């Protein structure tokens, strides 16, 4: 053992020092402080999965929590007020970098600091919503990984119609606190407003009232919008949707695991995993302004055939052919 | 160490030899390696560049091949659904394709399938002028120059003509995915690959951010040179990369795409083989040293080993292991020494062995005593482990007694007051059992006779020489003549002078049992008595337990069937049958002037299902007189008075009847009756049990009646409450939907998402937002309150930290306090335990109190204090505000109450906050109080249990 380490030491001394990158590399002596503001909740599969993916990604790059890095995670539980309450202390604690999950978290962080680097993840349409100047050159202290752009809303409706031919209209469930951007989304799509309606809900009771109303309308369906509130309440909302027997689609894979009919959108865990690369770059000295914001590359369509069967739907080959995962 | 000198000599010799040879070898090796390496790495880099270019091209060609599957002439003729399906599948198979467009032969768009937006069928847009269409129609395949979507993501348009009368499939390819290809091309350890287009713009690079930023690579000398038309054919050159590191750079072109693939390796790494060779030599040198050292050590070891063996052997013999012998075969003085040791050990071993014999004799004596004690203990253990079960106890006693008394056979007999009955026997010949089976009463001078007369031990040393034998008593003659018994001993089992049984041991030789053995048998007898007594007590206990079980079974059934009386009556009938020892049980219920049979079980035919209630039947009289009727012999009854009893019993063959009334508030609702086919009185216990069963049946009947009433009432209440909460939920939803839109839009306007907002407009927006939020708060408050009123607000109990809660509230209200110029402070005791409660709701309470305090204080400070008092938290909010008049202090916690004066009017608010707060605190089992002096300030104090258990309803 000892002899081997001596040899390794000699070898190391002979090798020319190769600089991988500039800035500070991971070192146990000076753990770097990474604050993580999660829009979602600790303890549910999606929340834990996301944080786990980020942590794993950081570890691969040498940032081990409790050793070379100190991760301070804050869970907002899909609540705008909580995000607002948390942002102050996070910024005041002056970490080396902040990871902000969700559009609302990114927006509040942008308001709160102009100096601490912020890497956002799953922020929707960041250029139009003013988070950054452009994808290629974010400009300020924010950069990161975007979630999706407005046209995807239409895609959801299209998939719903393919799955359930009886669908004539759909309602997009979102919390106006954590996902106000949907109001803006619809401005670009004037034709959609009549068939895709906005259904703002601030709590589960309102979701239930809304769904109960929709269940009475012919050809109704539901889009469970991208929104930390919806992630936090995924299982409960999936249960309500099942109770009212409505065809529904979500951007989140977890929705189908919770019994939802289908999901289409970027892979959220992949996004968190890739976020680690930018946290790494920032810790090694890169400026967010120089790191282009990235759009997702991996999209997935997941179908829950059990739920389809319960709703009496026959899944068309067109959808089966496109599905990346089928829950039976 | 004495052998150190020799060891050193060997080591120096080995090391010197090996190191010398290796050093010469290394020097030569290094020289040649350096020469070779320079040539080889230049060649390798060139080949790698070619290979990398091929792989990048293969990536694009593979996509082209995949698209080829749909690019056939007849494709355009397929139905739209089929074409859409094919395109959809293509998207799934090739992640790099973001969008597919089908153009017809005239260049009009027929189908568009996208990953990111809705599919479009038959748009008909004319795209015939676009190069994708023109070039593909002319050359079958077209690759566009690289373009950047949203000025960031590199894309390539690929168009493939379908041939014949078919059109063109145009695909948008996301080149980000080339990253995976080039990241997988290994160029040494720190080498890398990148791709530039014909303008020198970066298309692919392991650092994706450089690509997304549209980095211009022309600034690098090697890229600039490669872009020149008279390129140098990709020969590697020494260059510098973007980070200023000196690299060996090679490149290869992909003419079809107009791209150039670069492969670069840091110069330092290219020279790695030279360093490696140096290292190898060094390692060999070190290895040589180690081998030399090892060889020296081995030589020394050979001398030390026999001495160690000798030392270890002596130590083992010294520690008492006298059988140990050393084996050293060195043929020298060491071997002789070992032999000497072995002989001494042998002598020692012999002297030890005589000593051991004496010890063994003593041990045998001890063992015998121990065996007896163990036997007693074993029997005791059997008694303990099998309470109530006598067979194993008797078995154990007899087994042990036989062995310890050295008896030929033995019997364990029980005495029931009149007769002896053999319970268990051991080794008794079957013929003997057969011969003695008939014996009724042993004569008084026989062994058993004497025991029965009161003796505790009788020993007959020679059975053949006794009076009973001579008198020819069958018991004695059979024993001697058939069983061959010569000596017998009888030991009585007595409890308080009462004979319970006897233990008898026989020997087939004339030899008296010793005093020790007699004493042992007496001990066994005493133990057997204890076991029998235990068993008796246990049986009694079990009986009374069974009765209680029956009662509890009935109660259980009562609780299980709140709406149906029949199962309970059925169980009562069964229980009465079992515990009253009755053959037949009938339950009759009063129904107006009739008696209806409700349950029956037993062999006797049931009475008619319904008959008039009258005093001539047992049940009828029990109901009317409300007392128990006991008729031990029906045949003795006066026919005039008991007409119905006599008719019914004669008809069904019953002889004795017992009927107990089922009384509710002194009035009988029915009767439970036992019937028997033999005449004779029922015991006191039976009467008592029947009455208790009757009482239980009444409870069940009453339960059912009450339950049905309650169910109906609660159903009505539930409907009413559902209507109310549904109305409130709908109402608040209808109010909140438009309000949410108002707040959402103003927020985005204020954030500047709709262009710059002037200062004045910003002020207005803020007011709209504040009022909107206030209105939303009101609606939420009303909903909260209505939920509390309806008992629908349930707490989510979880762990919380008071310190965290206070800091959350402070950070939320800080700006408000700062605006008013108030000092906002906190004093939280250190080491507060973790609380259990609805953290969100408790925070809401604290937020409300602090918010109020700030609202109603114009100068001075607001302070939040948290401390522990026994098993409760005390949270106080202290302000230096207007204070509250004593008369108002009691009212402020009621709904819609605010201290009514001009100064508070201006502050707004619904007056619901404190009321909701009070109810939330009460739901936690806590209290909220206020102390205040007008003009000086107020202190609101919340006391909540640290471990809150939600109170059912605080409404």
């Amino acid at each position: 053992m000892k002899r081997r380490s001596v040899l390794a030491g000699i070898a190391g001394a002979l090798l020319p020092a190769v600089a991988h990158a500039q800035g500070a590399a991971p070192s146990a002596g000076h753990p770097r402080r990474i604050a993580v503001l999660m829009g979602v909740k600790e303890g549910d599969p999606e929340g834990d999965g996301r944080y786990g993916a980020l942590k794993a990604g950081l570890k691969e790059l040498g940032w081990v929590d409790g050793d070379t890095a100190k991760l301070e995670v804050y869970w907002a539980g899909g609540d705008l007020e909580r995000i607002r309450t948390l942002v102050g202390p996070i910024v005041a604690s002056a970490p080396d970098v902040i990871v902000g999950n969700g559009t609302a978290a990114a927006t509040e962080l942008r308001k709160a600091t102009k100096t601490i680097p912020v890497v956002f993840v799953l922020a929707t349409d960041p250029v139009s919503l003013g988070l950054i100047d452009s994808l290629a050159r974010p400009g300020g202290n924010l950069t990161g990984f975007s979630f999706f752009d407005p046209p995807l809303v239409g895609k959801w409706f299209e998939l719903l119609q393919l799955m359930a031919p009886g669908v004539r209209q759909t309602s997009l469930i979102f919390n106006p606190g954590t996902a106000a951007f949907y109001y803006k989304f619809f401005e670009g799509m004037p034709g959609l407003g009549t068939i895709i309606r906005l259904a703002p809900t601030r709590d589960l009771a309102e979701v239930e009232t809304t769904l109960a109303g929709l269940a009475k309308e012919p050809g109704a369906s539901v889009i469970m919008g991208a929104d930390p509130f919806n992630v936090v309440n995924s299982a409960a909302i999936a249960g309500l949707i099942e109770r009212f027997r409505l065809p529904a689609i979500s951007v989140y894979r977890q929705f189908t695991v919770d019994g939802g009919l289908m999901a289409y959108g970027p892979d959220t865990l992949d996004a968190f995993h890739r976020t680690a690369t930018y946290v790494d770059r920032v810790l090694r000295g890169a400026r967010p302004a120089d790191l282009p914001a990235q759009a997702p590359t991996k999209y997935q369509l997941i179908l829950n055939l059990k739920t389809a069967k319960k709703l009496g739907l026959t899944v068309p080959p067109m959808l089966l052919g496109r599905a990346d995962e089928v829950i039976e | 160490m004495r052998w150190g000198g020799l060891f050193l000599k060997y080591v120096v010799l080995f090391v010197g030899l090996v190191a010398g040879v290796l050093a010469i070898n290394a020097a030569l090796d290094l020289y040649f390696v350096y020469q070779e390496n320079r040539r080889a790495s230049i060649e390798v880099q060139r080949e790698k560049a070619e290979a990398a270019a091929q792989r990048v091209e293969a990536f694009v060609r593979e996509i082209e091949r995949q698209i080829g599957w749909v690019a056939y002439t007849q494709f355009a003729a397929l139905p739209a659904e089929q074409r859409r399906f094919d395109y959809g599948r293509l998207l799934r198979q090739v992640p790099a394709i973001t969008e597919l467009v089908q153009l017809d032969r005239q260049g009009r768009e027929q189908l568009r399938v996208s990953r990111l937006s809705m599919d479009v069928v038959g748009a008909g847009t004319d795209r015939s002028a676009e190069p994708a269409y023109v070039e593909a129609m002319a050359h079958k395949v077209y690759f566009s120059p690289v373009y950047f979507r949203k000025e960031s993501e590199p894309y390539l348009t690929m168009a493939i003509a379908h041939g014949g009368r078919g059109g063109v499939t145009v695909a948008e390819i996301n080149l980000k995915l080339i990253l995976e290809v080039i990241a997988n091309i290994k160029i040494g350890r720190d080498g890398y690959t990148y791709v530039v287009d014909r303008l020198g713009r970066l298309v692919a690079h392991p650092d994706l951010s450089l690509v997304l930023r549209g980095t211009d690579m022309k600034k690098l000398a090697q890229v600039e040179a490669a872009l020149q038309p008279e390129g140098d054919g990709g020969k590697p050159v020494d260059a510098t990369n973007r980070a200023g590191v000196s690299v060996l750079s090679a490149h290869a072109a992909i003419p079809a795409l107009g791209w150039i693939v670069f492969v670069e390796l840091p110069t330092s790494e290219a020279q790695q083989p030279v360093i490696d060779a140096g290292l190898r030599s060094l390692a060999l040198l070190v290895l040589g040293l180690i081998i030399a050292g090892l060889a020296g050590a081995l030589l020394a070891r050979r001398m030390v080993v026999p001495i160690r063996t000798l030392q270890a052997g002596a130590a083992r013999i010294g520690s008492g292991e006298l059988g140990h012998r050393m084996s050293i075969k060195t043929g020298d003085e060491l071997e002789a020494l070992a032999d000497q040791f072995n002989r001494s050990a042998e002598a020692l071993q012999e002297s030890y062995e005589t000593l051991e014999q004496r010890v063994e004799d003593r041990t045998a004596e001890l063992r015998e005593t121990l065996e007896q004690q163990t036997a007693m203990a074993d029997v005791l253990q059997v008694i303990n482990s099998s309470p109530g079960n006598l067979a194993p106890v008797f078995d154990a006693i007899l087994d042990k007694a036989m062995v310890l008394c050295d008896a030929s056979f033995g019997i364990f007999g029980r005495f029931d007051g009149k007769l002896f009955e053999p319970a268990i026997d051991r080794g008794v010949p079957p013929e003997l059992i057969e011969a003695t089976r008939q014996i009724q009463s042993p004569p008084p001078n026989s062994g058993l006779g004497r025991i029965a007369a009161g003796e505790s031990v009788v020993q007959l040393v020679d059975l053949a020489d006794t009076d009973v034998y001579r008198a020819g008593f069958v018991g004695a003659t059979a024993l001697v003549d058939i069983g061959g018994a010569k000596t017998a001993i009888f030991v009585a089992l007595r409890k308080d002078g009462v004979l319970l049984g006897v233990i008898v041991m026989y020997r087939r030789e004339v030899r008296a049992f010793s005093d020790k053995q007699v004493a042992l048998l007496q001990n066994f007898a005493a133990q057997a008595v204890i076991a029998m007594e235990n068993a008796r007590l246990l049986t009694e206990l079990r009986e009374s337990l069974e009765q209680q079980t029956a009662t509890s079974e009935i109660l259980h059934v009562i609780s299980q069937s709140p709406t149906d009386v029949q199962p309970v009556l059925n169980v009562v009938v069964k229980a009465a049958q079992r515990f009253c020892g009755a053959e037949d049980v009938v339950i009759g219920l009063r129904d107006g002037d009739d008696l209806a049979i409700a349950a029956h079980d037993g062999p006797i035919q049931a009475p008619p299902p319904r008959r008039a209630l009258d005093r001539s039947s047992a049940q009828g009289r029990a109901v009317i007189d409300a007392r128990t009727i006991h008729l031990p012999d029906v045949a003795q009854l006066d026919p005039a008075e008991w007409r119905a009893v006599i008719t019914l019993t004669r008809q069904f063959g019953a002889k004795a009847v017992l009927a107990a009334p089922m009384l509710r508030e002194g009035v009988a609702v029915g009767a439970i009756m036992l019937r028997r086919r033999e005449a004779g009185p029922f015991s006191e216990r039976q009467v008592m049990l029947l009455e208790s069963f009757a009482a239980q049946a009444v409870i069940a009947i009453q339960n059912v009646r009450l339950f049905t009433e309650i169910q109906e009432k609660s159903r009505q209440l539930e409907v009413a409450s559902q209507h109310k909460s549904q109305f409130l939920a709908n109402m608040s939803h209808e109010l909140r939907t438009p309000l949410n839109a108002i707040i959402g839009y103003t927020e985005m306007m204020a954030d500047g998402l709709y262009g710059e907002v002037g200062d004045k407009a910003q002020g207005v927006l803020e007011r709209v937002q504040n009022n909107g939020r206030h209105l939303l708060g009101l609606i939420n408050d009303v909903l909260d309150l209505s939920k509390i009123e309806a008992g629908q607000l349930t707490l989510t109990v979880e762990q919380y930290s008071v310190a965290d809660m206070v800091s959350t509230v402070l950070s939320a209200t800080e700006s408000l306090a700062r605006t008013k110029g108030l000092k906002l402070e906190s004093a939280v005791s250190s080491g507060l335990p973790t609380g259990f409660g609805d953290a969100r709701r408790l925070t809401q309470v604290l937020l409300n109190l602090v918010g109020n305090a700030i609202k109603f204080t114009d100068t001075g400070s607001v302070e939040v204090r948290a401390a522990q008092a026994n098993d409760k938290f005390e949270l106080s909010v202290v302000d230096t505000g207007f204070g509250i008049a004593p008369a108002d202090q009691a009212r402020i916690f009621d709904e819609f109450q605010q201290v009514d004066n001009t100064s508070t009017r201006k502050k707004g608010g619904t007056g619901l906050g404190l009321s909701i707060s009070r109810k939330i605190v009460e739901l936690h089992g806590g209290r909220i109080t206020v102390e205040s002096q007008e003009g000086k300030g107020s202190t609101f104090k919340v006391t909540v249990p640290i471990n809150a258990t939600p109170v059912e309803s605080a409404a």
Side-chain angles (χ1 to χ4, degrees), chain B residues 534-591:
Chain B
N534 276 353
R536 189 180 62 77
L537 289 172
L538 205 68
T539 310
E540 280 177 15
L541 191 69
R542 195 172 288 154
E543 260 175 28
S544 94
L545 196 68
E546 273 183 7
Q547 269 179 35
Q548 285 172 21
T549 311
T551 310
S552 89
E553 249 173 49
I554 293 170
L555 289 176
H556 178 70
V557 175
I558 290 178
S559 68
Q560 290 292 301
S561 80
T563 53
D564 188 2
V565 77
Q566 194 58 44
V568 182
L569 296 182
N570 290 345
V571 172
V572 169
V573 164
K574 286 268 182 238
Q577 209 176 6
R578 204 160 110 220
F579 292 100
C580 298
E583 286 176 302
D584 189 276
V585 184
V586 179
I587 291 180
L589 293 182
R590 183 180 191 149
D591 185 5

Side-chain angles (χ1 to χ4, degrees), chain B residues 499-791:
Chain B
L499 184 61
L500 301 174
V502 63
I503 301 174
V504 194
M505 296 276 118
Y506 298 98
R507 278 179 177 159
R508 288 203 175 95
E509 59 186 319
V510 179
R511 176 160 63 92
F513 290 88
S514 72
D515 288 349
K516 230 173 163 179
Q517 287 167 334
V518 172
L520 186 74
L521 284 172
Q522 279 180 309
N523 270 336
F524 278 142
Q527 285 183 340
V529 168
I530 293 172
M532 288 163 87
E533 192 58 15
N534 276 353
R536 189 180 62 77
L537 289 172
L538 205 68
T539 310
E540 280 177 15
L541 191 69
R542 195 172 288 154
E543 260 175 28
S544 94
L545 196 68
E546 273 183 7
Q547 269 179 35
Q548 285 172 21
T549 311
T551 310
S552 89
E553 249 173 49
I554 293 170
L555 289 176
H556 178 70
V557 175
I558 290 178
S559 68
Q560 290 292 301
S561 80
T563 53
D564 188 2
V565 77
Q566 194 58 44
V568 182
L569 296 182
N570 290 345
V571 172
V572 169
V573 164
K574 286 268 182 238
Q577 209 176 6
R578 204 160 110 220
F579 292 100
C580 298
E583 286 176 302
D584 189 276
V585 184
V586 179
I587 291 180
L589 293 182
R590 183 180 191 149
D591 185 5
D593 286 337
D594 288 347
L595 186 71
I597 301 303
H600 165 245
D601 201 343
I604 306 174
Q605 195 190 327
R610 177 175 285 272
R611 64 197 142 96
L613 192 65
D614 72 62
R615 292 188 74 247
S616 75
S617 79
Q619 275 182 309
R621 183 172 297 205
V623 170
I624 293 167
D625 293 2
R627 66 180 177 86
T628 303
I629 305 297
H630 185 180
L631 309 171
D633 188 354
V634 178
Q636 307 284 318
L637 295 176
D638 176 1
E641 195 182 348
W642 296 97
R643 185 184 42 78
V645 174
I646 291 166
T647 333
L648 286 173
T649 50
R650 189 170 297 152
Q651 198 181 336
F652 303 141
K655 295 276 169 57
V657 174
L658 175 68
M662 290 152 57
L663 297 174
R664 187 175 72 216
E665 290 160 8
V667 179
V669 298
I672 177 165
M673 172 169 73
L674 300 187
R675 295 185 296 175
R676 211 159 54 189
R677 282 179 290 196
E678 271 172 48
F682 289 86
S683 73
E684 220 171 283
R685 184 170 158 268
Q686 285 173 317
V687 175
M688 191 198 76
L689 278 173
L690 191 68
E691 282 170 352
S692 95
F693 285 137
Q696 282 163 4
V698 170
I699 295 174
I701 292 167
Q702 200 157 359
N703 264 359
V704 169
R705 194 173 54 80
L706 287 174
F707 195 85
T708 317
E709 280 174 22
I710 289 170
Q711 227 174 10
E712 177 56 22
K713 284 265 157 61
S714 60
R715 203 186 54 77
Q716 289 169 358
L717 273 174
E718 207 174 308
V719 170
S721 137
Q722 256 174 9
H723 284 164
K724 181 183 165 192
S725 26
Q726 190 61 42
F727 171 75
L728 279 167
N730 282 341
M731 201 53 210
S732 65
H733 180 69
E734 294 305 325
L735 291 172
R736 283 196 282 193
T737 302
L739 194 53
N740 276 325
I742 292 172
I743 299 171
Y745 273 109
T746 42
E747 214 155 276
M748 285 192 286
M749 282 176 81
D751 282 352
L753 288 185
Y754 293 95
E756 283 302 308
V757 180
D759 283 348
K760 258 190 190 168
Q762 187 81 39
V764 174
L765 279 179
E766 254 167 49
R767 258 181 284 165
V768 174
Q769 253 180 304
N770 287 343
N771 282 299
R773 289 224 183 87
H774 182 64
L775 188 52
L776 196 63
L778 287 183
I779 295 171
N780 287 339
D781 277 358
V782 170
L783 194 70
D784 261 0
L785 200 69
S786 68
K787 270 187 186 160
I788 294 174
E789 293 292 348

Side-chain angles (χ1 to χ4, degrees), chain A residues 17-325:
Chain A
V18 178
H20 285 262
Q22 270 133 28
S27 123
H30 304 278
R32 306 294 294 275
R33 289 181 44 236
I34 306 169
V36 184
L37 174 54
M38 298 293 290
V40 293
K41 196 175 68 177
E42 187 179 18
D44 69 29
E46 177 74 25
D48 287 355
R50 289 176 177 189
Y51 185 52
L54 175 66
K55 249 166 90 165
L58 286 170
K59 201 171 164 192
E60 284 161 23
L61 296 164
W63 301 105
V64 182
D65 188 19
D67 184 24
T68 50
K70 190 164 169 292
L71 267 71
E72 293 150 12
V73 61
Y74 303 82
W75 300 88
D79 179 358
L80 177 64
E81 285 312 313
R82 184 117 187 89
I83 290 175
R84 288 193 168 136
T85 318
L86 289 171
V87 161
I90 292 175
V91 170
S93 75
D96 293 308
V97 59
I98 304 174
V99 175
N101 159 220
T103 317
T107 309
E108 294 301 322
L109 284 169
R110 182 180 148 272
K111 284 188 215 162
T113 176
K114 295 273 173 276
T115 49
I116 303 173
V118 174
V119 179
F120 57 74
V121 50
L122 301 187
T124 305
D125 200 9
V127 178
S128 310
L129 295 182
L131 289 176
I132 49 176
D133 296 345
S134 76
L135 287 178
R137 285 164 213 287
N141 59 325
L142 276 81
T143 185
F145 295 80
S146 70
F147 199 4
F148 65 90
D149 293 343
L152 201 66
V153 177
K155 197 76 191 162
W156 287 328
F157 180 64
E158 174 186 299
L159 290 167
L160 270 173
Q161 273 195 317
L162 276 176
M163 175 65 109
V167 164
R168 293 284 164 269
Q169 45 119 328
T170 191
S171 292
L172 191 148
I173 292 191
F174 72 105
N175 186 322
T178 42
F181 56 82
Y182 283 110
Y183 287 117
K184 189 161 165 52
F185 263 32
F186 276 53
E187 290 160 12
M189 302 182 290
L192 287 184
T194 49
I195 45 171
I196 305 180
R197 294 182 298 191
L198 287 177
T201 53
R202 281 186 193 261
D203 52 42
L204 282 174
E206 267 195 275
V207 175
E208 187 175 350
T209 324
T210 307
L211 293 177
L214 286 178
K216 291 178 197 142
E217 293 180 25
S221 63
V222 176
I223 294 173
M224 191 174 118
D227 177 354
F229 171 83
N230 285 350
V231 176
V232 168
N233 297 295
S234 172
I237 296 178
L240 285 172
I241 290 175
E242 194 190 335
R243 164 142 58 100
F244 293 109
R245 298 183 56 82
L246 288 160
I249 191 168
S250 166
V251 72
Y252 303 111
R253 179 183 175 278
Q254 183 61 32
F255 176 67
T256 54
V257 176
D258 289 330
L261 180 60
M262 58 203 295
Y264 179 73
D267 183 339
T268 53
L269 302 190
D270 183 54
F272 270 82
H273 193 255
R274 292 203 295 150
T275 299
T277 61
Y278 269 15
V279 173
D280 174 62
R281 296 284 291 267
V282 168
L283 291 178
R284 287 174 191 272
R287 295 188 317 136
D290 298 337
L291 292 172
Q294 296 194 26
T297 34
K298 200 171 152 197
Y299 282 76
Q300 47 184 7
L301 173 65
I302 301 115
L303 306 177
N304 188 328
L305 296 192
K306 260 194 311 196
T307 310
K309 202 172 162 195
K310 272 190 216 157
L311 293 172
L313 297 172
T314 318
V315 184
M318 172 97 70
L319 276 179
L320 280 175
R322 283 196 194 186
D324 297 273
E325 188 183 346

